[in-house]
Amino acid sequence: AGAARVQRVSNARPYPAEANIAALVTEQTPEAVAIEENGRRFSYRELNDTAARRAVWLRARGVGVGDRVALYMERSAELVTWL
């Protein structure tokens, strides 16, 4: 039963091959809880908005598509926004 449901869900809506899964989830369920940390809940929209601000910040400093950026952080919701 579980495999059949996955098949139905995965075939429910075609999406472009270059689509970002996080963007698709954010588009479909922006207020759903993506991460919970220390009692604080972060929605997909919040994570996406924060990640977008970080991308702008990196681009302003010369980081381009395909460039590697090292992160030295503990596992956290903040870390997720940098990935």
Coordinates of all heavy atoms in Angstrom, one line a residue:
A1 N 0.8 -1.2 0.0 CA 0.0 0.0 0.0 C 0.9 1.2 0.0 O 0.6 2.2 -0.7 CB -0.9 0.0 1.2
G2 N 1.9 1.2 0.8 CA 2.8 2.4 0.9 C 3.5 2.7 -0.5 O 3.5 3.9 -0.9
A3 N 3.9 1.7 -1.2 CA 4.6 1.9 -2.5 C 3.6 2.5 -3.5 O 4.0 3.3 -4.3 CB 5.2 0.6 -3.0
A4 N 2.4 2.0 -3.4 CA 1.4 2.5 -4.4 C 1.1 4.0 -4.1 O 0.9 4.8 -5.0 CB 0.1 1.7 -4.2
R5 N 1.0 4.4 -2.8 CA 0.8 5.8 -2.5 C 2.0 6.7 -3.0 O 1.8 7.7 -3.5 CB 0.6 6.0 -1.0 CG 0.4 7.4 -0.6 CD -0.1 7.6 0.8 NE 0.0 8.9 1.4 CZ -0.2 10.1 0.8 NH1 -0.5 10.2 -0.4 NH2 -0.2 11.2 1.5
V6 N 3.2 6.2 -2.8 CA 4.3 7.0 -3.3 C 4.3 7.1 -4.8 O 4.5 8.2 -5.3 CB 5.7 6.3 -2.9 CG1 6.8 6.9 -3.6 CG2 5.8 6.3 -1.4
Q7 N 3.9 6.1 -5.5 CA 3.8 6.1 -6.9 C 2.7 7.2 -7.3 O 3.0 8.0 -8.2 CB 3.4 4.8 -7.5 CG 3.4 4.7 -9.0 CD 4.8 5.0 -9.6 OE1 5.8 4.6 -9.1 NE2 4.8 5.6 -10.8
R8 N 1.6 7.1 -6.7 CA 0.5 8.1 -7.0 C 1.0 9.5 -6.7 O 0.8 10.4 -7.5 CB -0.8 7.8 -6.2 CG -1.6 6.7 -6.7 CD -3.0 6.7 -6.1 NE -3.0 6.9 -4.6 CZ -2.9 5.9 -3.7 NH1 -2.7 4.6 -4.1 NH2 -2.9 6.1 -2.4
V9 N 1.6 9.8 -5.6 CA 2.1 11.1 -5.2 C 3.1 11.6 -6.2 O 3.1 12.7 -6.7 CB 2.6 11.1 -3.8 CG1 3.3 12.5 -3.5 CG2 1.4 10.9 -2.8
S10 N 4.1 10.7 -6.5 CA 5.2 11.1 -7.3 C 4.7 11.4 -8.8 O 5.3 12.1 -9.5 CB 6.3 10.0 -7.3 OG 5.8 8.9 -7.9
N11 N 3.6 10.8 -9.2 CA 3.1 11.0 -10.5 C 2.0 12.0 -10.6 O 1.4 12.3 -11.6 CB 2.6 9.7 -11.1 CG 3.7 8.7 -11.4 OD1 4.8 9.1 -11.6 ND2 3.4 7.4 -11.4
A12 N 1.7 12.6 -9.4 CA 0.5 13.5 -9.3 C 0.7 14.8 -10.2 O -0.2 15.3 -10.7 CB 0.3 13.9 -7.9
R13 N 2.0 15.2 -10.3 CA 2.2 16.5 -10.9 C 3.6 16.5 -11.6 O 4.6 16.3 -10.9 CB 2.1 17.6 -9.9 CG 2.4 19.0 -10.5 CD 2.2 20.0 -9.5 NE 2.9 21.2 -9.9 CZ 3.4 22.1 -9.1 NH1 3.4 21.9 -7.8 NH2 4.0 23.2 -9.6
P14 N 3.7 16.6 -12.9 CA 5.0 16.6 -13.5 C 5.7 17.9 -13.1 O 5.1 18.9 -12.8 CB 4.7 16.6 -15.0 CG 3.3 17.1 -15.1 CD 2.6 16.8 -13.8
Y15 N 7.0 17.8 -13.0 CA 7.8 19.0 -12.7 C 9.1 19.0 -13.6 O 9.5 17.9 -14.0 CB 8.2 19.1 -11.2 CG 8.9 17.9 -10.7 CD1 10.3 17.9 -10.7 CD2 8.3 16.8 -10.2 CE1 11.0 16.8 -10.3 CE2 9.0 15.7 -9.8 CZ 10.3 15.7 -9.8 OH 11.0 14.6 -9.3
P16 N 9.6 20.2 -13.8 CA 10.8 20.2 -14.7 C 12.0 19.5 -14.1 O 12.2 19.5 -12.8 CB 11.1 21.7 -14.8 CG 10.0 22.4 -14.2 CD 9.2 21.4 -13.4
A17 N 12.8 18.9 -14.9 CA 14.0 18.1 -14.4 C 14.9 19.0 -13.6 O 15.6 18.5 -12.7 CB 14.7 17.5 -15.6
E18 N 15.0 20.3 -13.9 CA 15.9 21.1 -13.2 C 15.3 21.7 -11.9 O 16.0 22.5 -11.2 CB 16.4 22.3 -14.1 CG 15.3 23.3 -14.5 CD 14.4 22.9 -15.6 OE1 14.6 21.8 -16.2 OE2 13.5 23.7 -15.9
A19 N 14.1 21.3 -11.6 CA 13.4 21.8 -10.4 C 14.2 21.4 -9.1 O 14.7 20.4 -9.0 CB 12.0 21.3 -10.4
N20 N 14.1 22.3 -8.2 CA 14.7 22.1 -6.9 C 13.6 21.6 -6.0 O 12.6 22.2 -5.8 CB 15.2 23.5 -6.4 CG 15.7 23.5 -5.0 OD1 15.1 23.0 -4.1 ND2 16.9 24.1 -4.8
I21 N 13.9 20.4 -5.3 CA 12.8 19.8 -4.5 C 12.4 20.7 -3.4 O 11.2 20.8 -3.1 CB 13.3 18.4 -4.0 CG1 12.1 17.7 -3.4 CG2 14.4 18.5 -3.0 CD1 11.1 17.2 -4.4
A22 N 13.3 21.4 -2.8 CA 13.0 22.4 -1.7 C 12.0 23.5 -2.2 O 11.1 23.8 -1.5 CB 14.2 23.0 -1.1
A23 N 12.3 24.0 -3.4 CA 11.4 25.0 -4.0 C 10.0 24.4 -4.3 O 9.0 25.1 -4.1 CB 12.1 25.6 -5.2
L24 N 10.0 23.2 -4.7 CA 8.7 22.6 -5.0 C 7.9 22.4 -3.7 O 6.7 22.7 -3.7 CB 8.9 21.2 -5.7 CG 9.4 21.3 -7.2 CD1 9.7 19.9 -7.6 CD2 8.4 22.0 -8.1
V25 N 8.5 22.0 -2.7 CA 7.8 21.8 -1.4 C 7.4 23.1 -0.9 O 6.2 23.3 -0.4 CB 8.7 21.0 -0.4 CG1 8.0 21.0 1.0 CG2 9.0 19.6 -0.9
T26 N 8.2 24.1 -1.0 CA 7.9 25.5 -0.5 C 6.7 26.0 -1.3 O 5.8 26.6 -0.7 CB 9.1 26.4 -0.6 OG1 10.2 25.9 0.1 CG2 8.8 27.8 -0.1
E27 N 6.7 25.8 -2.5 CA 5.6 26.3 -3.4 C 4.2 25.6 -3.0 O 3.2 26.2 -2.9 CB 5.9 26.0 -4.8 CG 4.8 26.3 -5.8 CD 5.1 25.8 -7.2 OE1 6.2 26.1 -7.7 OE2 4.2 25.2 -7.8
Q28 N 4.3 24.3 -2.7 CA 3.1 23.6 -2.4 C 2.6 23.7 -1.0 O 1.4 23.7 -0.7 CB 3.3 22.1 -2.8 CG 3.5 21.9 -4.3 CD 3.8 20.4 -4.6 OE1 3.7 19.6 -3.8 NE2 4.2 20.2 -5.8
T29 N 3.5 23.8 0.0 CA 3.2 23.8 1.4 C 4.1 24.8 2.1 O 4.8 24.4 3.0 CB 3.3 22.4 2.0 OG1 4.6 21.9 1.8 CG2 2.3 21.4 1.5
P30 N 4.0 26.1 1.8 CA 4.9 27.0 2.4 C 4.9 27.2 3.9 O 5.9 27.5 4.5 CB 4.5 28.4 1.7 CG 3.1 28.2 1.3 CD 3.0 26.7 1.0
E31 N 3.8 27.0 4.5 CA 3.7 27.1 6.0 C 3.9 25.8 6.7 O 3.9 25.9 8.0 CB 2.4 27.8 6.3 CG 2.2 29.2 5.7 CD 3.4 30.1 6.0 OE1 3.9 30.2 7.1 OE2 3.8 30.9 5.0
A32 N 4.1 24.7 6.1 CA 4.3 23.5 6.7 C 5.7 23.5 7.5 O 6.6 24.2 7.1 CB 4.4 22.3 5.7
V33 N 5.7 22.8 8.6 CA 7.0 22.8 9.4 C 8.0 22.0 8.7 O 7.8 20.8 8.4 CB 6.7 22.2 10.8 CG1 8.0 22.1 11.6 CG2 5.7 23.1 11.6
A34 N 9.2 22.7 8.4 CA 10.3 22.0 7.8 C 11.3 21.5 8.8 O 11.8 20.4 8.7 CB 11.0 23.0 6.8
I35 N 11.5 22.3 9.8 CA 12.5 21.9 10.9 C 12.0 22.4 12.2 O 11.4 23.5 12.3 CB 13.9 22.6 10.6 CG1 14.5 22.1 9.3 CG2 14.8 22.4 11.8 CD1 15.8 22.8 9.0
E36 N 12.2 21.7 13.2 CA 11.9 22.1 14.6 C 13.2 22.0 15.4 O 13.9 21.0 15.4 CB 10.8 21.3 15.2 CG 10.4 21.8 16.6 CD 9.1 21.1 17.1 OE1 8.4 20.5 16.3 OE2 8.9 21.3 18.3
E37 N 13.6 23.1 16.1 CA 14.8 23.1 16.8 C 14.6 23.9 18.1 O 14.2 25.0 18.1 CB 15.9 23.8 16.0 CG 17.2 23.9 16.7 CD 18.3 24.6 15.9 OE1 18.1 25.8 15.5 OE2 19.3 23.9 15.5
N38 N 14.8 23.2 19.2 CA 14.7 23.8 20.6 C 13.3 24.5 20.7 O 13.2 25.6 21.2 CB 15.8 24.9 20.8 CG 17.2 24.3 20.8 OD1 17.3 23.1 21.2 ND2 18.1 25.0 20.3
G39 N 12.3 23.8 20.3 CA 10.9 24.3 20.4 C 10.5 25.3 19.4 O 9.3 25.7 19.4
R40 N 11.4 25.8 18.6 CA 11.1 26.8 17.5 C 10.8 26.0 16.2 O 11.6 25.1 15.8 CB 12.3 27.7 17.4 CG 12.3 28.6 16.1 CD 11.6 29.9 16.3 NE 11.9 30.9 15.3 CZ 11.4 31.0 14.1 NH1 10.5 30.1 13.7 NH2 11.7 31.9 13.3
R41 N 9.8 26.4 15.6 CA 9.4 25.7 14.3 C 9.7 26.7 13.1 O 9.4 27.9 13.2 CB 8.0 25.4 14.3 CG 7.6 24.3 15.2 CD 6.2 24.0 15.2 NE 5.9 22.8 16.1 CZ 4.8 22.2 16.1 NH1 3.8 22.6 15.3 NH2 4.6 21.2 17.0
F42 N 10.3 26.1 12.1 CA 10.7 26.9 10.9 C 9.9 26.3 9.7 O 10.0 25.1 9.5 CB 12.2 26.8 10.6 CG 13.0 27.3 11.7 CD1 13.4 26.5 12.8 CD2 13.5 28.6 11.7 CE1 14.2 27.0 13.8 CE2 14.3 29.2 12.7 CZ 14.6 28.4 13.7
S43 N 9.2 27.2 9.0 CA 8.4 26.7 7.9 C 9.3 26.6 6.7 O 10.4 27.2 6.6 CB 7.2 27.7 7.6 OG 7.7 28.9 7.1
Y44 N 8.8 25.9 5.7 CA 9.6 25.9 4.4 C 9.8 27.3 3.8 O 10.8 27.6 3.3 CB 8.8 25.0 3.4 CG 9.0 23.5 3.7 CD1 8.0 22.8 4.3 CD2 10.2 22.8 3.4 CE1 8.1 21.5 4.6 CE2 10.3 21.5 3.7 CZ 9.3 20.8 4.3 OH 9.5 19.5 4.6
R45 N 8.7 28.1 4.0 CA 8.9 29.5 3.5 C 10.0 30.3 4.2 O 10.8 30.9 3.6 CB 7.5 30.3 3.6 CG 7.6 31.7 3.1 CD 6.4 32.5 3.5 NE 6.0 32.4 4.9 CZ 6.6 33.0 6.0 NH1 7.6 33.7 5.8 NH2 6.2 32.8 7.2
E46 N 10.0 30.1 5.5 CA 11.1 30.8 6.3 C 12.5 30.3 5.9 O 13.4 31.2 5.7 CB 10.9 30.6 7.8 CG 9.7 31.3 8.4 CD 9.5 30.9 9.9 OE1 9.2 29.7 10.1 OE2 9.8 31.7 10.7
L47 N 12.6 29.0 5.7 CA 13.9 28.5 5.3 C 14.3 29.0 3.9 O 15.4 29.4 3.7 CB 13.9 27.0 5.4 CG 13.8 26.4 6.8 CD1 13.9 24.8 6.7 CD2 15.0 26.8 7.7
N48 N 13.3 29.0 3.0 CA 13.6 29.4 1.7 C 13.9 30.9 1.6 O 14.9 31.3 0.9 CB 12.3 29.1 0.8 CG 12.6 29.3 -0.7 OD1 13.5 28.7 -1.2 ND2 11.9 30.2 -1.3
D49 N 13.2 31.7 2.3 CA 13.5 33.1 2.4 C 14.9 33.4 2.9 O 15.6 34.3 2.4 CB 12.4 33.9 3.2 CG 11.1 33.9 2.5 OD1 11.0 33.5 1.3 OD2 10.1 34.3 3.2
T50 N 15.2 32.8 4.0 CA 16.5 32.9 4.6 C 17.6 32.5 3.7 O 18.7 33.2 3.5 CB 16.6 32.2 6.0 OG1 15.6 32.7 6.8 CG2 18.0 32.4 6.6
A51 N 17.4 31.3 3.1 CA 18.4 30.8 2.1 C 18.6 31.8 0.9 O 19.7 32.0 0.5 CB 18.0 29.4 1.6
A52 N 17.5 32.4 0.5 CA 17.6 33.3 -0.6 C 18.4 34.6 -0.2 O 19.2 35.1 -1.0 CB 16.2 33.7 -1.1
R53 N 18.2 35.0 1.0 CA 19.0 36.2 1.5 C 20.5 35.8 1.6 O 21.3 36.6 1.2 CB 18.5 36.7 2.8 CG 17.2 37.4 2.7 CD 16.8 38.2 4.0 NE 16.8 37.3 5.2 CZ 15.7 36.6 5.6 NH1 14.6 36.6 4.8 NH2 15.7 35.8 6.6
R54 N 20.7 34.6 2.0 CA 22.2 34.2 2.1 C 22.8 34.1 0.7 O 23.9 34.5 0.5 CB 22.2 32.9 2.8 CG 21.8 33.0 4.3 CD 22.2 31.8 5.1 NE 21.6 31.7 6.4 CZ 21.8 32.5 7.4 NH1 22.6 33.6 7.3 NH2 21.2 32.3 8.6
A55 N 22.0 33.6 -0.3 CA 22.5 33.5 -1.6 C 22.9 34.9 -2.2 O 23.9 35.1 -2.8 CB 21.5 32.8 -2.5
V56 N 22.0 35.9 -1.9 CA 22.3 37.3 -2.4 C 23.5 37.8 -1.7 O 24.4 38.4 -2.4 CB 21.1 38.2 -2.0 CG1 21.4 39.7 -2.2 CG2 19.9 37.8 -2.9
W57 N 23.7 37.5 -0.4 CA 24.9 37.9 0.3 C 26.1 37.3 -0.3 O 27.1 38.0 -0.5 CB 24.7 37.5 1.8 CG 25.8 38.0 2.7 CD1 25.9 39.2 3.3 CD2 27.0 37.3 3.1 NE1 27.0 39.3 4.1 CE2 27.7 38.1 4.0 CE3 27.4 36.0 2.8 CZ2 28.9 37.7 4.5 CZ3 28.6 35.6 3.4 CH2 29.4 36.4 4.2
L58 N 26.1 36.0 -0.6 CA 27.3 35.4 -1.2 C 27.6 35.9 -2.6 O 28.7 36.2 -2.9 CB 27.0 33.9 -1.3 CG 27.0 33.1 0.0 CD1 26.5 31.7 -0.1 CD2 28.4 33.1 0.6
R59 N 26.5 36.1 -3.4 CA 26.8 36.7 -4.8 C 27.4 38.0 -4.7 O 28.3 38.4 -5.5 CB 25.4 36.7 -5.5 CG 25.1 35.3 -6.1 CD 23.9 35.4 -7.1 NE 22.7 36.0 -6.6 CZ 21.8 35.2 -6.0 NH1 21.9 33.9 -5.9 NH2 20.7 35.8 -5.5
A60 N 27.0 38.8 -3.7 CA 27.5 40.2 -3.6 C 29.0 40.1 -3.2 O 29.7 41.1 -3.4 CB 26.7 40.9 -2.5
R61 N 29.5 39.0 -2.7 CA 30.9 38.8 -2.4 C 31.6 38.0 -3.4 O 32.7 37.6 -3.1 CB 31.0 38.2 -1.0 CG 30.7 39.3 0.1 CD 30.1 38.7 1.3 NE 29.8 39.8 2.3 CZ 28.7 40.5 2.2 NH1 27.8 40.4 1.2 NH2 28.5 41.5 3.1
G62 N 31.0 37.9 -4.6 CA 31.7 37.2 -5.7 C 31.6 35.7 -5.8 O 32.2 35.1 -6.7
V63 N 30.8 35.1 -5.0 CA 30.6 33.7 -5.1 C 29.6 33.4 -6.2 O 28.5 34.0 -6.2 CB 30.1 33.1 -3.7 CG1 29.8 31.6 -3.8 CG2 31.1 33.4 -2.6
G64 N 30.0 32.5 -7.1 CA 29.1 32.2 -8.2 C 28.6 30.8 -8.2 O 29.0 30.0 -7.3
V65 N 27.7 30.5 -9.1 CA 27.2 29.2 -9.3 C 28.3 28.2 -9.5 O 29.2 28.4 -10.3 CB 26.2 29.1 -10.5 CG1 25.7 27.7 -10.7 CG2 25.0 30.0 -10.2
G66 N 28.3 27.1 -8.7 CA 29.3 26.1 -8.9 C 30.5 26.3 -8.0 O 31.4 25.4 -7.8
D67 N 30.7 27.5 -7.4 CA 31.8 27.8 -6.5 C 31.5 27.0 -5.2 O 30.4 26.8 -4.8 CB 31.9 29.3 -6.1 CG 32.4 30.1 -7.3 OD1 32.9 29.5 -8.3 OD2 32.3 31.3 -7.2
R68 N 32.6 26.6 -4.5 CA 32.5 25.9 -3.3 C 32.7 26.9 -2.1 O 33.5 27.7 -2.2 CB 33.5 24.8 -3.2 CG 33.2 23.7 -4.2 CD 34.3 22.6 -4.1 NE 33.9 21.6 -5.2 CZ 34.6 20.5 -5.3 NH1 35.6 20.2 -4.5 NH2 34.3 19.7 -6.2
V69 N 31.9 26.7 -1.1 CA 32.0 27.5 0.1 C 32.0 26.6 1.3 O 31.2 25.7 1.5 CB 30.7 28.4 0.2 CG1 30.8 29.2 1.5 CG2 30.6 29.3 -1.0
A70 N 33.1 26.8 2.1 CA 33.2 25.9 3.3 C 32.4 26.5 4.4 O 32.3 27.7 4.6 CB 34.7 25.9 3.7
L71 N 31.7 25.6 5.2 CA 30.9 25.9 6.3 C 31.5 25.2 7.5 O 31.7 24.0 7.4 CB 29.5 25.5 6.1 CG 28.7 26.2 5.0 CD1 27.3 25.6 4.8 CD2 28.6 27.7 5.2
Y72 N 31.7 25.9 8.6 CA 32.1 25.2 9.8 C 31.1 25.6 10.9 O 31.2 26.7 11.5 CB 33.5 25.7 10.2 CG 34.1 25.0 11.5 CD1 34.4 23.7 11.4 CD2 34.2 25.7 12.6 CE1 34.9 23.0 12.6 CE2 34.7 25.1 13.8 CZ 35.0 23.8 13.7 OH 35.5 23.1 14.9
M73 N 30.1 24.8 11.0 CA 29.0 25.1 11.9 C 28.5 23.9 12.6 O 28.6 22.8 12.0 CB 27.8 25.8 11.2 CG 28.1 27.0 10.4 SD 26.8 27.6 9.3 CE 25.6 28.1 10.6
E74 N 27.8 24.0 13.7 CA 27.2 22.9 14.3 C 25.9 22.6 13.6 O 25.3 23.5 13.0 CB 26.9 23.1 15.8 CG 28.2 23.2 16.6 CD 28.0 23.1 18.1 OE1 27.0 22.5 18.5 OE2 28.9 23.5 18.8
R75 N 25.4 21.4 13.7 CA 24.1 21.1 13.0 C 23.0 21.9 13.7 O 22.9 22.0 14.9 CB 23.7 19.6 13.2 CG 24.6 18.7 12.4 CD 24.2 17.3 12.5 NE 25.1 16.4 11.7 CZ 24.8 15.2 11.5 NH1 23.7 14.6 11.9 NH2 25.6 14.5 10.7
S76 N 22.3 22.6 12.8 CA 21.2 23.5 13.3 C 20.3 23.9 12.1 O 20.6 23.7 11.0 CB 21.9 24.8 13.9 OG 22.5 25.5 12.9
A77 N 19.2 24.6 12.5 CA 18.4 25.1 11.5 C 19.1 26.2 10.7 O 19.0 26.3 9.4 CB 17.1 25.8 12.1
E78 N 20.0 27.0 11.3 CA 20.8 28.0 10.6 C 21.7 27.3 9.5 O 21.8 27.8 8.4 CB 21.6 28.8 11.5 CG 22.4 29.8 10.8 CD 23.3 30.7 11.8 OE1 23.4 30.3 13.0 OE2 23.9 31.6 11.3
L79 N 22.3 26.2 9.9 CA 23.1 25.5 8.9 C 22.3 25.1 7.7 O 22.8 25.2 6.6 CB 23.7 24.2 9.6 CG 24.5 23.3 8.6 CD1 25.7 24.0 8.0 CD2 24.9 22.0 9.4
V80 N 21.1 24.6 7.9 CA 20.3 24.2 6.8 C 20.1 25.3 5.8 O 20.1 25.1 4.6 CB 18.9 23.6 7.3 CG1 18.0 23.4 6.1 CG2 19.1 22.4 8.1
T81 N 19.9 26.6 6.3 CA 19.7 27.7 5.4 C 20.9 28.0 4.5 O 20.8 28.7 3.5 CB 19.3 29.0 6.1 OG1 20.4 29.4 7.0 CG2 18.0 28.7 6.9
W82 N 22.1 27.5 4.9 CA 23.3 27.7 4.1 C 23.5 26.6 3.1 O 24.4 26.8 2.2 CB 24.5 27.8 5.1 CG 24.6 29.1 5.8 CD1 24.3 29.4 7.1 CD2 25.1 30.3 5.2 NE1 24.5 30.7 7.4 CE2 25.0 31.3 6.3 CE3 25.6 30.7 4.0 CZ2 25.4 32.6 6.1 CZ3 26.0 32.0 3.8 CH2 25.9 33.0 4.8
L83 N 22.8 25.5 3.2 CA 23.1 24.4 2.3 C 22.4 24.5 1.0 O 21.4 25.2 0.8 CB 22.6 23.1 3.0 CG 23.4 22.8 4.3 CD1 22.9 21.5 4.8 CD2 24.9 22.7 4.1

